[in-house]
């Protein structure tokens, strides 16, 4: 049954599913620029109305057929989109149809928006991005956790979202390979000394080991699992979170950490005078997250210990510390690991790119090692500045 779609067969599928009026004149382009999937943009040229058909490939596109990958991720993705839509419909694309045998999800066309990473690289700031992501993360985490939903149902949902193959990618590519001399890594020869220093850093490895353990074992809530700025469509007024194929029951701090890291990776690519909006986004995301999560906890939690003095503060503190540590791992892996980010890789001239990447490695390390002593998000800016001078 399964076959990768082509632009032609994607149109035929849209016609078969009657997703457009009978007299529509359809055009289709494959626009997937991510690491894993095919993405078809189909438009009715008569009225400009469009849809997206996303199809999982049985291997990781970024590497090729030598890296087989489960097709089950398409089901995880469509189910996660539907689950998240029940809590934050304004921040996720509508799903029109999904088909397990073809590994496809048919969803809302968001082409009036721009992938946040691309816009940030062009120098845009997306003023509402942090407010929206703070609210998105707070609500999706709270409502899928033991505090926001029936604890028996939560266990069933956790079972439904068991996602071992995709979790393994993160365990390897985020938490393991970049910290060892592994053949998935790649980086400029000029960075070799800096990278070797990292590989022999026992203090760092001990802390990464703890963060990996947290990722492996802590099933707080249904997390998106890959919340980088390439998984977000944005404009001045709107934000939509896409691509939750890595969704699973994971630690509260994971999505926040990945989002912070990718904001900071963009800050690393900018001149000093243009970085402030990124630091403000990090601080605002945390502020909105903590406020929204606390309101939900105080008004909606059915867990008897939610009222226990200081418990909420402890959970928030733990989430804050985790998020900073996860951000450090993500910064390091996007610099020297398998899947880089254009924010760093397109910096010109080459010497500036090397400086930014060295800065990224130092910043990532400091965030990981000092995460427990940091008290407020504005300390990130201090760490950023401190690590640029070394
Ligand atoms: C082989 S997949 C590489 C990366 O792409 C995805 O977006 C995830 O971030 C993954 O780690
Ligand atoms: Mg993705």
């Amino acid at each position: 049954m399964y076959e990768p779609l082509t632009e032609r067969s994607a149109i035929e599928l849209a016609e078969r599913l009657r997703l457009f009026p009978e007299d529509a004149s359809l055009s289709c382009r494959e626009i997937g620029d991510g690491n894993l999937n095919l993405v078809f943009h189909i438009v009715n040229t008569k009225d400009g109305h469009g849809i997206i058909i996303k199809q999982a490939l049985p291997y990781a596109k970024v590497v090729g057929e030598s890296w087989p990958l489960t097709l089950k991720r398409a089901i995880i993705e469509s189910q996660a989109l539907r689950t998240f839509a029940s809590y934050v419909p304004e921040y996720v694309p509508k799903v029109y149809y999904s088909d397990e045998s073809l590994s496809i999800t048919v969803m809302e066309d968001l082409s009036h928006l721009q992938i946040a990473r691309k816009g940030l690289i062009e120098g845009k700031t997306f003023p509402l991005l942090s407010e929206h992501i703070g609210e998105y993360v707070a609500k999706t985490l709270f409502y899928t956790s033991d505090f926001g939903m029936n604890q028996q149902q939560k266990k069933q949902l956790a079972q439904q979202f068991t996602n071992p193959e995709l979790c393994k990618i993160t365990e390897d590519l985020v938490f393991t390979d970049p910290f060892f001399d592994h053949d998935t890594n790649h980086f400029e020869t000029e960075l070799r000394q800096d990278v070797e220093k990292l590989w022999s850093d026992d203090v760092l490895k001990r802390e990464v080991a703890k963060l990996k353990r947290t990722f492996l074992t802590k099933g707080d809530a249904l997390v998106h699992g890959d919340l980088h700025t390439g998984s977000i469509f944005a404009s001045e007024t709107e934000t939509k979170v896409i691509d939750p194929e890595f969704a699973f029951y994971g630690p509260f701090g994971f999505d926040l950490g990945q989002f912070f890291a990718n904001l900071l990776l963009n800050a690393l690519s900018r001149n000093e005078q243009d970085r402030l909006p990124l630091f403000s986004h990090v601080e605002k995301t945390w502020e909105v997250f903590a406020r929204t999560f606390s309101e939900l906890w105080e008004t909606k939690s059915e867990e008897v210990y939610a009222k226990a003095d200081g418990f909420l503060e402890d959970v928030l503190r733990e989430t804050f510390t985790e998020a900073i540590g996860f951000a450090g791992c993500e910064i390091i892996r996007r610099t020297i690991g398998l899947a880089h980010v254009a924010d760093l890789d397109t910096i010109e001239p080459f010497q500036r790119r090397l400086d930014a990447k060295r800065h990224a490695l130092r910043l990532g390390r400091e965030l990981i090692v000092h995460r427990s002593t940091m008290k407020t998000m504005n300390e990130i800016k201090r760490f950023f500045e401190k690590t640029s001078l070394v």
Side-chain angles (χ1 to χ4, degrees):
M1 268 300 268
Y2 176 85
E3 214 174 67
L5 293 170
T6 61
E7 290 178 349
R8 182 70 248 149
S9 62
I11 289 183
E12 285 162 10
L13 177 68
E15 286 168 348
R16 252 197 335 273
L17 293 172
R18 299 182 191 283
L19 295 167
F20 290 93
E22 294 241 322
D23 66 342
S25 160
L26 300 184
S27 76
C28 175
R29 260 185 343 118
E30 201 281 310
I31 55 165
D33 62 354
N35 294 322
L36 300 175
N37 306 294
L38 295 173
V39 180
F40 298 92
H41 184 205
I42 304 182
V43 180
N44 178 0
T45 54
K46 286 190 174 164
D47 62 5
H49 180 74
I51 57 160
I52 291 292
I53 301 183
K54 180 170 174 182
Q55 185 180 41
L57 285 166
Y59 55 86
K61 201 169 79 178
V62 65
V63 177
E65 295 188 31
S66 61
W67 187 335
L69 206 54
T70 176
L71 290 171
K72 201 187 151 213
R73 66 188 195 273
I75 306 307
I76 295 269
E77 172 156 348
S78 55
Q79 287 174 348
L81 284 172
R82 288 183 165 116
T83 305
F84 293 145
S86 65
Y87 307 121
V88 281
E90 65 277 43
Y91 299 133
V92 286
K94 290 186 190 72
V95 173
Y96 300 135
Y97 176 81
S98 58
D99 182 318
E100 185 161 359
S101 58
L102 279 173
S103 304
I104 57 162
T105 307
V106 182
M107 61 191 129
E108 188 181 353
D109 177 10
L110 298 174
S111 55
H112 63 292
L113 307 177
Q114 185 182 27
I115 286 290
R117 186 186 306 288
K118 285 193 187 140
L120 291 171
I121 290 173
E122 287 168 11
K124 296 192 178 132
T125 51
F126 300 120
L128 296 180
L129 183 66
S130 36
E131 207 157 314
H132 291 169
I133 295 296
E135 187 183 345
Y136 165 90
V137 177
K139 289 187 174 169
T140 56
L141 294 188
F142 177 79
Y143 282 118
T144 61
S145 76
D146 283 308
F147 305 106
M149 82 184 298
N150 175 285
Q151 295 177 350
Q152 295 305 300
Q153 279 169 10
K154 181 226 168 188
K155 289 177 182 67
Q156 276 168 11
L157 204 61
Q159 227 171 8
Q160 181 188 334
F161 283 99
T162 304
N163 197 356
E165 293 91 343
L166 281 275
C167 284
K168 172 89 169 99
I169 292 180
T170 306
E171 286 148 25
D172 290 345
L173 296 187
V174 178
F175 293 109
T176 313
D177 300 356
F179 302 94
F180 294 87
D181 186 0
H182 198 280
D183 58 13
T184 54
N185 294 325
H186 75 103
F187 49 84
E188 292 78 357
T189 327
E190 289 79 353
L191 294 181
R192 181 126 212 126
Q193 258 198 343
D194 309 78
V195 176
E196 281 178 355
K197 192 165 151 215
L198 209 78
W199 290 340
S200 60
D201 188 335
D202 292 333
V203 175
L204 173 67
K205 282 188 168 175
R206 180 172 174 178
E207 297 308 315
V208 176
K210 292 182 205 163
L211 288 160
K212 180 177 177 183
R213 178 167 180 248
T214 303
F215 182 84
L216 283 163
T217 58
K218 193 160 177 269
D220 283 325
L222 184 64
V223 301
H224 176 284
D226 198 25
L227 191 54
H228 56 82
T229 47
S231 298
I232 301 170
F233 269 108
S235 71
E236 293 272 304
T237 54
E238 256 186 287
T239 307
K240 302 272 183 189
V241 178
I242 60 166
D243 275 7
E245 66 200 309
F246 283 76
F248 78 112
Y249 260 78
F252 276 149
F254 192 67
D255 287 344
L256 288 168
Q258 293 224 308
F259 182 58
F260 293 157
N262 283 272
L263 293 173
L264 294 171
L265 285 159
N266 185 265
L268 283 157
S269 74
R270 292 187 180 205
N271 293 323
E272 209 178 321
Q273 68 273 15
D274 299 323
R275 287 174 180 155
L276 201 58
L278 282 311
F279 298 132
S280 304
H281 272 326
V282 172
E283 287 171 37
K284 181 93 188 176
T285 305
W286 175 258
E287 184 195 311
V288 173
F289 166 78
R291 184 178 5 102
T292 312
F293 189 90
S294 302
E295 276 165 17
L296 292 169
W297 177 290
E298 272 148 18
T299 56
K300 299 242 162 32
S301 186
E302 287 172 26
E303 164 56 49
V304 60
Y305 282 110
K307 299 256 183 296
D309 202 20
F311 186 31
L312 169 63
E313 288 68 26
D314 291 343
V315 170
L316 286 176
R317 172 78 226 159
E318 195 176 277
T319 305
F320 176 92
T321 309
E322 272 172 12
I324 291 170
F326 291 141
C329 296
E330 170 76 355
I331 289 173
I332 290 176
R333 79 91 170 221
R334 294 291 185 188
T335 309
I336 60 170
L338 178 98
H340 284 199
V341 287
D343 311 57
L344 293 185
D345 277 357
T346 57
I347 299 176
E348 296 288 355
F350 185 62
Q351 189 52 49
R352 230 192 98 221
R353 190 184 318 156
L354 290 180
D355 290 345
K357 290 191 175 190
R358 289 197 176 101
H359 187 179
L361 296 180
R362 291 192 297 264
L363 175 63
R365 182 198 185 273
E366 292 301 287
L367 294 181
I368 293 168
V369 170
H370 298 293
R371 67 191 186 287
S372 307
T373 56
M374 289 175 69
K375 299 264 177 304
T376 60
M377 272 306 161
N378 61 24
E379 278 186 67
I380 286 202
K381 187 164 171 283
R382 192 167 58 76
F383 272 81
F384 193 101
E385 280 155 9
K386 189 180 117 195
T387 48
S388 84
L389 301 172
V390 186

